[in-house]
PDB file of all heavy atoms in Angstrom:
ATOM      1  N   GLU A  96     141.516 -22.077 -90.339  1.00 80.00           N
ATOM      2  CA  GLU A  96     141.893 -21.313 -91.533  1.00 80.00           C
ATOM      3  C   GLU A  96     140.868 -20.206 -91.825  1.00 80.00           C
ATOM      4  O   GLU A  96     141.236 -19.062 -92.100  1.00 80.00           O
ATOM      5  CB  GLU A  96     141.915 -22.284 -92.712  1.00 80.00           C
ATOM      6  CG  GLU A  96     142.987 -21.942 -93.747  1.00 80.00           C
ATOM      7  CD  GLU A  96     143.149 -23.076 -94.731  1.00 80.00           C
ATOM      8  OE1 GLU A  96     143.823 -24.052 -94.379  1.00 80.00           O
ATOM      9  OE2 GLU A  96     142.547 -22.972 -95.810  1.00 80.00           O
ATOM     10  N   THR A  97     139.604 -20.590 -91.745  1.00 81.00           N
ATOM     11  CA  THR A  97     138.526 -19.622 -92.007  1.00 81.00           C
ATOM     12  C   THR A  97     138.570 -18.503 -90.970  1.00 81.00           C
ATOM     13  O   THR A  97     138.447 -17.332 -91.311  1.00 81.00           O
ATOM     14  CB  THR A  97     137.144 -20.328 -91.905  1.00 81.00           C
ATOM     15  OG1 THR A  97     137.210 -21.518 -92.671  1.00 81.00           O
ATOM     16  CG2 THR A  97     136.043 -19.446 -92.414  1.00 81.00           C
ATOM     17  N   PHE A  98     138.800 -18.879 -89.721  1.00 77.00           N
ATOM     18  CA  PHE A  98     138.836 -17.893 -88.653  1.00 77.00           C
ATOM     19  C   PHE A  98     140.006 -16.932 -88.848  1.00 77.00           C
ATOM     20  O   PHE A  98     139.858 -15.728 -88.709  1.00 77.00           O
ATOM     21  CB  PHE A  98     138.978 -18.593 -87.297  1.00 77.00           C
ATOM     22  CG  PHE A  98     138.938 -17.671 -86.112  1.00 77.00           C
ATOM     23  CD1 PHE A  98     137.736 -17.271 -85.587  1.00 77.00           C
ATOM     24  CD2 PHE A  98     140.124 -17.188 -85.570  1.00 77.00           C
ATOM     25  CE1 PHE A  98     137.714 -16.389 -84.511  1.00 77.00           C
ATOM     26  CE2 PHE A  98     140.107 -16.306 -84.489  1.00 77.00           C
ATOM     27  CZ  PHE A  98     138.886 -15.913 -83.959  1.00 77.00           C
ATOM     28  N   THR A  99     141.171 -17.495 -89.221  1.00 77.00           N
ATOM     29  CA  THR A  99     142.362 -16.652 -89.445  1.00 77.00           C
ATOM     30  C   THR A  99     142.120 -15.692 -90.609  1.00 77.00           C
ATOM     31  O   THR A  99     142.451 -14.514 -90.520  1.00 77.00           O
ATOM     32  CB  THR A  99     143.577 -17.553 -89.777  1.00 77.00           C
ATOM     33  OG1 THR A  99     143.641 -18.559 -88.793  1.00 77.00           O
ATOM     34  CG2 THR A  99     144.879 -16.762 -89.766  1.00 77.00           C
ATOM     35  N   ALA A 100     141.510 -16.205 -91.671  1.00 78.00           N
ATOM     36  CA  ALA A 100     141.214 -15.369 -92.819  1.00 78.00           C
ATOM     37  C   ALA A 100     140.250 -14.242 -92.452  1.00 78.00           C
ATOM     38  O   ALA A 100     140.440 -13.100 -92.857  1.00 78.00           O
ATOM     39  CB  ALA A 100     140.649 -16.214 -93.954  1.00 78.00           C
ATOM     40  N   SER A 101     139.243 -14.591 -91.667  1.00 75.00           N
ATOM     41  CA  SER A 101     138.238 -13.579 -91.232  1.00 75.00           C
ATOM     42  C   SER A 101     138.889 -12.528 -90.383  1.00 75.00           C
ATOM     43  O   SER A 101     138.637 -11.324 -90.530  1.00 75.00           O
ATOM     44  CB  SER A 101     137.129 -14.242 -90.463  1.00 75.00           C
ATOM     45  OG  SER A 101     136.550 -15.274 -91.219  1.00 75.00           O
ATOM     46  N   THR A 102     139.764 -12.946 -89.463  1.00 74.00           N
ATOM     47  CA  THR A 102     140.433 -12.009 -88.567  1.00 74.00           C
ATOM     48  C   THR A 102     141.317 -11.066 -89.369  1.00 74.00           C
ATOM     49  O   THR A 102     141.377  -9.859 -89.128  1.00 74.00           O
ATOM     50  CB  THR A 102     141.331 -12.790 -87.548  1.00 74.00           C
ATOM     51  OG1 THR A 102     140.547 -13.826 -87.002  1.00 74.00           O
ATOM     52  CG2 THR A 102     141.830 -11.888 -86.448  1.00 74.00           C
ATOM     53  N   ARG A 103     142.001 -11.651 -90.406  1.00 73.00           N
ATOM     54  CA  ARG A 103     142.865 -10.807 -91.279  1.00 73.00           C
ATOM     55  C   ARG A 103     142.012  -9.787 -91.993  1.00 73.00           C
ATOM     56  O   ARG A 103     142.391  -8.618 -92.072  1.00 73.00           O
ATOM     57  CB  ARG A 103     143.580 -11.728 -92.286  1.00 73.00           C
ATOM     58  CG  ARG A 103     144.896 -11.144 -92.768  1.00 73.00           C
ATOM     59  CD  ARG A 103     145.526 -12.054 -93.799  1.00 73.00           C
ATOM     60  NE  ARG A 103     145.663 -13.434 -93.380  1.00 73.00           N
ATOM     61  CZ  ARG A 103     145.192 -14.456 -94.053  1.00 73.00           C
ATOM     62  NH1 ARG A 103     144.541 -14.276 -95.189  1.00 73.00           N
ATOM     63  NH2 ARG A 103     145.375 -15.667 -93.633  1.00 73.00           N
ATOM     64  N   ASP A 104     140.847 -10.172 -92.463  1.00 73.00           N
ATOM     65  CA  ASP A 104     139.952  -9.272 -93.180  1.00 73.00           C
ATOM     66  C   ASP A 104     139.515  -8.130 -92.246  1.00 73.00           C
ATOM     67  O   ASP A 104     139.456  -6.971 -92.653  1.00 73.00           O
ATOM     68  CB  ASP A 104     138.729 -10.021 -93.713  1.00 73.00           C
ATOM     69  CG  ASP A 104     139.080 -10.809 -94.968  1.00 73.00           C
ATOM     70  OD1 ASP A 104     140.193 -10.582 -95.498  1.00 73.00           O
ATOM     71  OD2 ASP A 104     138.255 -11.639 -95.400  1.00 73.00           O
ATOM     72  N   VAL A 105     139.198  -8.498 -91.008  1.00 73.00           N
ATOM     73  CA  VAL A 105     138.733  -7.480 -90.019  1.00 73.00           C
ATOM     74  C   VAL A 105     139.848  -6.476 -89.813  1.00 73.00           C
ATOM     75  O   VAL A 105     139.638  -5.271 -89.779  1.00 73.00           O
ATOM     76  CB  VAL A 105     138.323  -8.144 -88.704  1.00 73.00           C
ATOM     77  CG1 VAL A 105     138.119  -7.120 -87.586  1.00 73.00           C
ATOM     78  CG2 VAL A 105     137.051  -8.986 -88.897  1.00 73.00           C
ATOM     79  N   GLN A 106     141.089  -6.976 -89.635  1.00 72.00           N
ATOM     80  CA  GLN A 106     142.233  -6.077 -89.390  1.00 72.00           C
ATOM     81  C   GLN A 106     142.494  -5.169 -90.592  1.00 72.00           C
ATOM     82  O   GLN A 106     142.835  -4.013 -90.406  1.00 72.00           O
ATOM     83  CB  GLN A 106     143.468  -6.903 -89.046  1.00 72.00           C
ATOM     84  CG  GLN A 106     143.413  -7.427 -87.635  1.00 72.00           C
ATOM     85  CD  GLN A 106     144.498  -8.449 -87.341  1.00 72.00           C
ATOM     86  OE1 GLN A 106     145.189  -8.906 -88.249  1.00 72.00           O
ATOM     87  NE2 GLN A 106     144.642  -8.796 -86.088  1.00 72.00           N
ATOM     88  N   GLN A 107     142.342  -5.759 -91.782  1.00 72.00           N
ATOM     89  CA  GLN A 107     142.601  -4.953 -93.006  1.00 72.00           C
ATOM     90  C   GLN A 107     141.513  -3.877 -93.187  1.00 72.00           C
ATOM     91  O   GLN A 107     141.769  -2.811 -93.668  1.00 72.00           O
ATOM     92  CB  GLN A 107     142.641  -5.857 -94.216  1.00 72.00           C
ATOM     93  CG  GLN A 107     143.983  -6.583 -94.340  1.00 72.00           C
ATOM     94  CD  GLN A 107     143.951  -7.612 -95.453  1.00 72.00           C
ATOM     95  OE1 GLN A 107     142.925  -7.826 -96.088  1.00 72.00           O
ATOM     96  NE2 GLN A 107     145.094  -8.261 -95.671  1.00 72.00           N
ATOM     97  N   ALA A 108     140.276  -4.228 -92.786  1.00 70.00           N
ATOM     98  CA  ALA A 108     139.160  -3.307 -92.994  1.00 70.00           C
ATOM     99  C   ALA A 108     139.123  -2.193 -91.983  1.00 70.00           C
ATOM    100  O   ALA A 108     138.504  -1.155 -92.218  1.00 70.00           O
ATOM    101  CB  ALA A 108     137.846  -4.096 -92.956  1.00 70.00           C
ATOM    102  N   ARG A 109     139.812  -2.386 -90.810  1.00 63.00           N
ATOM    103  CA  ARG A 109     139.744  -1.388 -89.764  1.00 63.00           C
ATOM    104  C   ARG A 109     140.473  -0.115 -90.235  1.00 63.00           C
ATOM    105  O   ARG A 109     141.660  -0.180 -90.594  1.00 63.00           O
ATOM    106  CB  ARG A 109     140.413  -1.942 -88.492  1.00 63.00           C
ATOM    107  CG  ARG A 109     140.176  -1.067 -87.272  1.00 63.00           C
ATOM    108  CD  ARG A 109     140.774  -1.738 -86.057  1.00 63.00           C
ATOM    109  NE  ARG A 109     140.084  -2.969 -85.744  1.00 63.00           N
ATOM    110  CZ  ARG A 109     140.646  -4.022 -85.188  1.00 63.00           C
ATOM    111  NH1 ARG A 109     141.933  -4.032 -84.928  1.00 63.00           N
ATOM    112  NH2 ARG A 109     139.955  -5.127 -84.952  1.00 63.00           N
ATOM    113  N   PRO A 110     139.786   1.032 -90.259  1.00 57.00           N
ATOM    114  CA  PRO A 110     140.468   2.265 -90.734  1.00 57.00           C
ATOM    115  C   PRO A 110     141.580   2.703 -89.799  1.00 57.00           C
ATOM    116  O   PRO A 110     141.469   2.510 -88.568  1.00 57.00           O
ATOM    117  CB  PRO A 110     139.344   3.289 -90.795  1.00 57.00           C
ATOM    118  CG  PRO A 110     138.275   2.772 -89.929  1.00 57.00           C
ATOM    119  CD  PRO A 110     138.424   1.280 -89.884  1.00 57.00           C
ATOM    120  N   LEU A 111     142.627   3.260 -90.343  1.00 56.00           N
ATOM    121  CA  LEU A 111     143.738   3.741 -89.527  1.00 56.00           C
ATOM    122  C   LEU A 111     143.275   4.984 -88.771  1.00 56.00           C
ATOM    123  O   LEU A 111     142.337   5.660 -89.170  1.00 56.00           O
ATOM    124  CB  LEU A 111     144.919   4.090 -90.425  1.00 56.00           C
ATOM    125  CG  LEU A 111     145.553   2.911 -91.151  1.00 56.00           C
ATOM    126  CD1 LEU A 111     146.526   3.443 -92.207  1.00 56.00           C
ATOM    127  CD2 LEU A 111     146.257   1.990 -90.179  1.00 56.00           C
ATOM    128  N   ALA A 112     143.945   5.282 -87.671  1.00 56.00           N
ATOM    129  CA  ALA A 112     143.607   6.462 -86.893  1.00 56.00           C
ATOM    130  C   ALA A 112     143.758   7.715 -87.753  1.00 56.00           C
ATOM    131  O   ALA A 112     144.788   7.917 -88.397  1.00 56.00           O
ATOM    132  CB  ALA A 112     144.545   6.533 -85.676  1.00 56.00           C
TER     133      ALA A 112
END
Side-chain angles (χ1 to χ4, degrees):
Chain A
E96 212 169 282
T97 313
F98 184 85
T99 311
S101 304
T102 312
R103 206 182 308 125
D104 283 349
V105 169
Q106 283 170 350
Q107 282 172 357
R109 191 175 295 148
L111 295 169

